Amino acid sequence: MPAILHHYNLAHLLDEVLVEHSARPALRYAEDEHTFHELGGWVDSLAALLLSRGLARGDVIAIGHDKHPLSYALMLAAIRLGVAYVNIDMASPIARTRRILEVSAPMLLFYDDSTYQAEMAELAVSQGCELLLLDSSTLPNISEADLERQRQCSRLVDGATIAYIMFTSGSTGIPKGVAVTHQNVLHLIAWGHKRFGITEQDNFANLSPMYFDNSVFDFYVGLFSGASLSPIHRSLLAKPYELVSYVSSRACTIWFSVPSALIYLMAMKALAPGALVDLRVIIFGGEGYPKVELKKLYDRFFGQAMLVNVYGPTECTCICSAHTLSTDDFQNLDGLPTLGKLNPNFDYRILDDASHDAVEGELCLIGPNVAAGYFNDLERTAAVFEVITDTNRFMKRMYRTGDLVKEVDGWLHFVGRKDNQIKHMGYRIELEEIENALVKLPQVDQAAVVYLRTQTAYGKLVAYVACSVEVDDGVLLQTLGQSVPDYMVPSKLIIMSKLPHNANGKVDRQQLRALCS
């Protein structure tokens, strides 16, 4: 059931979903399935546990989430009470996770894999919070009085209450915690349910880790529409053939991942005809998908699955635009596919360097999906979230995305990132333009370009390419020089079998910089 106006918080919609789809599967694993009824029972118990520990609306918990069923239930239990949750990567360096906990200040730290007990205990001690392992022994017995208390708490949760905190990388090295509200997520659910025609028969391949923004679509649009999730463990993501086989065996109908994952699977020939025959929608977003590579995927699934390019920063609740690919998108193979048009209930501005409205410039998003800000970080919130005082958009909230776009006939096209825009030899260059030119070379499967400043006034371009065939770096650079000007030809090109990826599946540019520094 889609979110409608009388759902002023996620808890009310959740209660309806749990009743309406009680007998349907909610979580599907290889070894067993768990129904919405079973999930609801866990939510009741875990909400009672949170209340017994003194948590209330506005408090925060942290979850070391490795896709155990009880971890999903705990997210829902927190939502019911107006408690914000933050999912953390238990395999991440402790120093980084400690900074996340310092910012979010959770009262309780949960984890679902005893393998990480030592690391979680160290984090709990440093944060001064209680540590709990999520297993069946964690679940308390509950009474009707407990359930009534939960209902009373859920009625007090307004739409502006923080639902979750999603951490993203910060340029200063300190992660930023994006605080997303119940209202933000309700708008996402309503849009996603309608846009993709989600029914209770759908089964989402939950590929993304739960601390990564793309998982928000799977979890909320999937479960809150009565569909099921098939959690994919991280161990499968580096095994292309096993991954495809597993998703096929789950009969998944919805796939959402970063383009890098799909490019890798295509390069490894893991997406052979006959695989993933139940997929009806393949969604990708989080980074650019060069059309020359995307065409291979489009041809592979033409007539079976709809391919949709989505765009949206974490700060605007996962997805802000969705463009369904057609043959018209491949009239030429230059660059990236269009972002399309923004979802209903979004407004936007494109601002030039002087903050004037322009056809090309920084995309600034406006509307009810704009997050509350960066949790416990007023300075960085003020830098990119602002309230418009112009009379034509009076008091609307706006987020400066840092993404450079160009509008053509009402359609938005991604140009690059402000932080990937460099000045080299006196020229202003978008690194994405060089990457797109490299990917168009038939020998190159994927490319990334970094800029290393060697002196105050000088720097050098270094390109990394993934190739499945043997190539010569000098020949590639010479060929590249036929499509871009001399000042855009990298001074060095490094050939790899596969580009490194971070925990979210995106190309790890920091690691690439470190390789040649």
Side-chain angles (χ1 to χ4, degrees):
M1 176 180 291
I4 54 179
L5 289 178
H6 72 268
H7 298 121
Y8 61 85
N9 67 37
L10 288 163
H12 293 167
L13 177 57
L14 171 64
D15 288 341
E16 289 189 10
V17 169
L18 291 176
V19 171
E20 181 177 349
H21 302 282
S22 175
R24 297 284 307 171
L27 299 171
R28 301 184 178 208
Y29 295 86
E31 59 279 7
D32 53 20
E33 294 185 351
H34 303 287
T35 65
F36 278 93
H37 175 74
E38 191 174 1
L39 180 63
W42 294 331
V43 172
D44 294 342
S45 293
L46 289 167
L49 173 63
L50 294 178
L51 288 173
S52 72
R53 294 302 201 274
L55 273 83
R57 180 184 60 179
D59 289 331
V60 179
I61 62 170
I63 310 171
H65 198 316
D66 206 21
K67 301 189 175 180
H68 187 282
L70 289 183
S71 293
Y72 293 98
L74 181 57
M75 294 164 67
L76 298 171
I79 286 167
R80 174 177 288 174
L81 305 178
V83 171
Y85 65 83
V86 52
N87 288 320
I88 61 173
D89 178 10
M90 291 182 287
S92 182
I94 285 182
R96 184 178 190 275
T97 307
R98 184 179 291 117
R99 289 194 291 270
I100 288 174
L101 298 186
E102 288 170 354
V103 172
S104 57
M107 292 182 63
L108 295 175
L109 172 58
F110 293 86
Y111 69 112
D112 62 12
D113 186 344
S114 59
T115 305
Y116 297 96
Q117 194 276 332
E119 293 87 345
M120 294 299 102
E122 181 179 338
L123 288 168
V125 169
S126 67
Q127 183 57 35
C129 64
E130 184 179 1
L131 177 68
L132 292 169
L133 175 65
L134 277 170
D135 60 21
S136 57
S137 65
T138 309
L139 303 177
N141 295 320
I142 58 172
S143 65
E144 182 55 38
D146 292 322
L147 294 176
E148 178 55 31
R149 187 181 175 197
Q150 292 178 33
R151 287 191 285 268
Q152 292 174 358
C153 289
S154 70
R155 285 195 287 269
L156 298 176
V157 179
D158 62 272
T161 300
I162 305 303
Y164 65 84
I165 306 166
M166 183 72 67
F167 277 82
T168 66
S169 298
S171 57
T172 63
I174 300 175
K176 298 177 293 187
V178 181
V180 178
T181 69
H182 281 242
Q183 174 187 255
N184 294 153
V185 181
L186 284 169
H187 282 280
L188 174 72
I189 294 169
W191 167 81
H193 178 94
K194 182 178 180 180
R195 175 64 174 78
F196 296 101
I198 306 301
T199 74
E200 63 181 19
Q201 302 297 326
D202 279 310
N203 181 20
F204 285 61
N206 181 207
L207 294 143
S208 298
M210 299 306 293
Y211 52 82
F212 178 41
D213 188 41
N214 283 6
S215 69
V216 168
F217 177 80
D218 299 337
F219 179 72
Y220 283 105
V221 176
L223 286 184
F224 281 70
S225 295
S228 59
L229 296 188
S230 287
I232 311 296
H233 193 266
R234 72 175 78 202
S235 60
L236 280 179
L237 299 181
K239 303 172 182 177
Y241 305 104
E242 292 180 34
L243 171 62
V244 171
S245 175
Y246 184 81
V247 175
S248 291
S249 71
R250 299 296 91 212
C252 293
T253 61
I254 311 288
W255 171 295
F256 183 24
S257 74
V258 293
S260 294
L262 291 164
I263 292 171
Y264 178 58
L265 292 175
M266 287 297 293
M268 296 299 293
K269 296 180 172 47
L271 296 178
L276 305 180
V277 294
D278 295 290
L279 282 185
R280 68 176 187 84
V281 184
I282 298 174
I283 308 167
F284 51 89
E287 60 185 357
Y289 203 143
K291 284 199 285 185
V292 68
E293 287 295 322
L294 181 55
K295 181 64 163 59
K296 301 173 186 176
L297 185 73
Y298 182 80
D299 291 342
R300 163 63 183 84
F301 286 96
F302 181 77
Q304 175 198 325
M306 176 172 62
L307 268 60
V308 184
N309 179 34
V310 300
Y311 163 81
T314 304
E315 289 84 349
C316 292
T317 322
C318 191
I319 298 177
C320 303
S321 71
H323 173 68
T324 301
L325 279 296
S326 71
T327 53
D328 291 341
D329 291 286
F330 301 102
Q331 296 301 313
N332 71 71
L333 297 180
D334 293 333
L336 305 172
T338 177
L339 303 179
K341 298 181 179 181
L342 292 182
N343 302 343
N345 216 12
F346 266 100
D347 190 8
Y348 67 100
R349 298 179 71 185
I350 300 174
L351 301 179
D352 62 18
D353 292 340
S355 291
H356 296 145
D357 290 298
V359 172
E360 183 172 344
E362 181 180 12
L363 178 62
C364 301
L365 295 169
I366 304 165
N369 276 37
V370 175
Y374 297 125
F375 197 71
N376 286 338
D377 195 338
L378 296 181
E379 183 178 349
R380 288 201 283 185
T381 296
V384 291
F385 291 89
E386 56 188 79
V387 176
I388 303 172
T389 55
D390 294 346
T391 55
N392 60 343
R393 290 186 175 94
F394 188 64
M395 301 308 290
K396 287 187 175 183
R397 294 186 69 251
M398 181 176 81
Y399 170 67
R400 290 178 171 266
T401 67
D403 292 322
L404 302 174
V405 300
K406 183 176 183 179
E407 187 171 17
V408 180
D409 298 328
W411 297 80
L412 298 175
H413 297 264
F414 183 75
V415 175
R417 284 283 305 170
K418 285 185 73 174
D419 47 20
N420 272 353
Q421 187 181 81
I422 64 166
K423 227 19 180 348
H424 180 58
M425 298 174 63
Y427 297 94
R428 191 163 72 174
I429 300 171
E430 310 290 349
L431 297 182
E432 287 86 355
E433 183 177 352
I434 306 173
E435 293 170 355
N436 290 334
L438 280 166
V439 170
K440 288 182 68 177
L441 303 179
Q443 309 95 319
V444 176
D445 298 322
Q446 199 169 12
V449 179
V450 299
Y451 186 66
L452 299 179
R453 190 167 293 282
T454 53
Q455 299 179 27
T456 303
Y458 299 99
K460 65 178 180 179
L461 293 163
V462 179
Y464 294 83
V465 297
C467 301
S468 53
V469 296
E470 188 173 341
V471 293
D472 181 270
D473 58 339
V475 172
L476 284 182
L477 286 174
Q478 184 177 10
T479 308
L480 177 66
Q482 298 172 12
S483 55
V484 300
D486 290 345
Y487 60 83
M488 292 176 63
V489 176
S491 59
K492 188 175 184 180
L493 186 143
I494 299 173
I495 300 170
M496 312 174 77
S497 58
K498 182 185 177 184
L499 298 186
H501 293 79
N502 59 27
N504 297 336
K506 297 182 181 181
V507 173
D508 192 335
R509 296 176 186 275
Q510 290 186 349
Q511 185 174 339
L512 292 177
R513 289 189 183 94
L515 289 175
C516 56
S517 61

